[in-house]
Amino acid sequence: MASEEEAGEFYLRYYVGHKGKFGHEFLEFEFRPDGKLRYANNSNYKNDTMIRKEVFLTPAVLRECRRIISDSEIGDCNFTSFAELPPMLIMKEDDNLWPEPDRVGRQELEIVMGNEHISFTTSKIGSLVDVQSSNDPEGLRIFYYLVQRKLFKRSMLDIALIL
């Protein structure tokens, strides 16, 4: 039997982009409650065209996406001081002290899981140096690792690109 959390709504949207020499360049993906995955990648570099994909995911894939967010503590990211952080830590963060979007770009992350809803906006993060020099390095590090390590390099983008 599904837990209350598994039975509740799940929605995730991530956007990273900027406006510059080649126009509005961005990457965005969205996991919708009805199982639809929407993916868009726009780069005008060398006259590339926008890539858009939409597919419906199985309940098993959606459960895996939900698990990735639920396990978003960063204890597995080689920061032993964070090893004891509780699950779903990203859902407890606040972006008030994070860098504001600027000319370099912006990142947006919105997650709905069950009765919890969070939405973050910050500037593009180039490296951990940007994280460490922020006004909220611990909170921004959780965001950074979820986005850089879990959403892109390991899990969700792999799902999107396979489709």
Side-chain angles (χ1 to χ4, degrees):
M1 179 161 196
S3 70
E4 181 179 325
E5 180 182 297
E6 284 180 341
E9 184 176 7
F10 176 71
Y11 172 84
L12 181 141
R13 185 183 72 83
Y14 177 73
Y15 165 92
V16 60
H18 68 277
K19 293 178 183 172
K21 180 179 177 181
F22 299 105
H24 183 199
E25 297 184 298
F26 65 90
L27 177 133
E28 180 176 38
F29 58 90
E30 175 184 53
F31 292 82
R32 296 171 43 139
D34 63 359
K36 183 184 274 188
L37 166 64
R38 296 177 62 233
Y39 171 85
N41 190 340
N42 188 44
S43 173
N44 296 319
Y45 179 70
K46 294 190 177 182
N47 296 320
D48 275 350
T49 59
M50 184 181 307
I51 299 167
R52 286 189 185 270
K53 294 187 179 193
E54 289 187 2
V55 298
F56 281 92
L57 304 173
T58 67
V61 173
L62 288 175
R63 277 192 304 275
E64 178 63 10
C65 296
R66 184 187 291 269
R67 186 199 61 76
I68 289 165
I69 301 302
S70 293
D71 293 346
S72 66
E73 81 274 13
I74 59 173
D76 63 346
C77 296
N78 299 323
F79 282 86
T80 56
S81 62
F82 291 97
E84 301 301 317
L85 293 176
M88 291 185 48
L89 192 60
I90 193 67
M91 301 298 284
K92 308 298 182 214
E93 288 305 319
D94 185 335
D95 64 357
N96 285 334
L97 297 176
W98 297 0
E100 292 289 325
D102 56 19
R103 64 176 178 72
V104 174
R106 71 185 296 124
Q107 294 183 86
E108 299 171 3
L109 177 65
E110 181 178 7
I111 301 170
V112 175
M113 284 184 61
N115 295 327
E116 294 189 68
H117 179 211
I118 55 104
S119 184
F120 301 115
T121 301
T122 189
S123 63
K124 286 173 74 173
I125 302 170
S127 69
L128 275 175
V129 172
D130 296 336
V131 171
Q132 292 164 342
S133 64
S134 76
N135 290 332
D136 180 16
E138 292 176 9
L140 194 56
R141 186 173 317 176
I142 292 164
F143 174 85
Y144 176 80
Y145 274 101
L146 175 63
V147 169
Q148 295 297 320
R149 296 270 174 103
K150 297 209 176 198
L151 294 185
F152 284 112
K153 294 193 173 117
R154 288 193 190 160
S155 306
M156 289 193 193
L157 194 57
D158 289 343
I159 293 168
L161 293 176
I162 289 169
L163 306 170

